[in-house]
Amino acid sequence: MRDRQTEGGRDTATAPGSAVLTGTILGVVVLMCVHLDWAPFVRNPTGPDQLVALVVGGIVLGVSLLVWAIKSLYLLGRENRWSWKVAAAPVVVLAGLVAGLVLQPVTGVSLTTGAGRGAWSAVEL
């Protein structure tokens, strides 16, 4: 067991650490891959593949944010201390939200030359 720092006979709170940040990043990346219809390990993800990835990403992100909320509330509410580590998880989630709003999935459009026009035009597959 680790020795914890005590203050006046009670355990002191610690800020959310790298495990919470790693879980948050992993959850956001998995959800972004589902949103963009991109899977690094599956060639053509089907509906069930995306559902499994969505559930796994949601659970990882949910557990990470629950741990973040408990540790942050304990640190800020009971200890009345601040750490920059508290802001890391919300920044990752907001960055993922902005990226999800800006980046749109590819919808099966390819660029081909127009017949006789010599210019590029978008043609749906």
Side-chain angles (χ1 to χ4, degrees):
M1 277 180 87
R2 262 186 341 174
D3 291 332
R4 294 186 182 189
Q5 298 174 346
T6 59
E7 188 177 292
R10 66 176 189 191
D11 292 338
T12 58
T14 58
S18 60
V20 171
L21 183 61
T22 303
T24 304
I25 291 171
L26 183 64
V28 168
V29 167
V30 168
L31 293 178
M32 283 298 298
C33 287
V34 171
H35 172 68
L36 296 175
D37 293 331
W38 182 74
F41 302 112
V42 179
R43 181 161 283 232
N44 294 319
T46 61
D49 294 335
Q50 289 180 336
L51 181 63
V52 168
L54 188 67
V55 168
V56 169
I59 289 173
V60 168
L61 185 62
V63 169
S64 296
L65 293 181
L66 181 64
V67 171
W68 171 84
I70 292 169
K71 289 183 76 82
S72 297
L73 288 174
Y74 189 80
L75 179 72
L76 298 173
R78 190 168 182 187
E79 300 286 327
N80 293 324
R81 292 188 297 137
W82 169 255
S83 173
W84 286 104
K85 292 179 182 180
V86 172
V91 167
V92 169
V93 171
L94 288 175
L97 179 65
V98 169
L101 292 173
V102 171
L103 299 175
Q104 297 299 319
V106 178
T107 58
V109 175
S110 67
L111 295 175
T112 60
T113 57
R117 293 186 290 195
W120 292 92
S121 64
V123 177
E124 289 189 25
L125 295 177

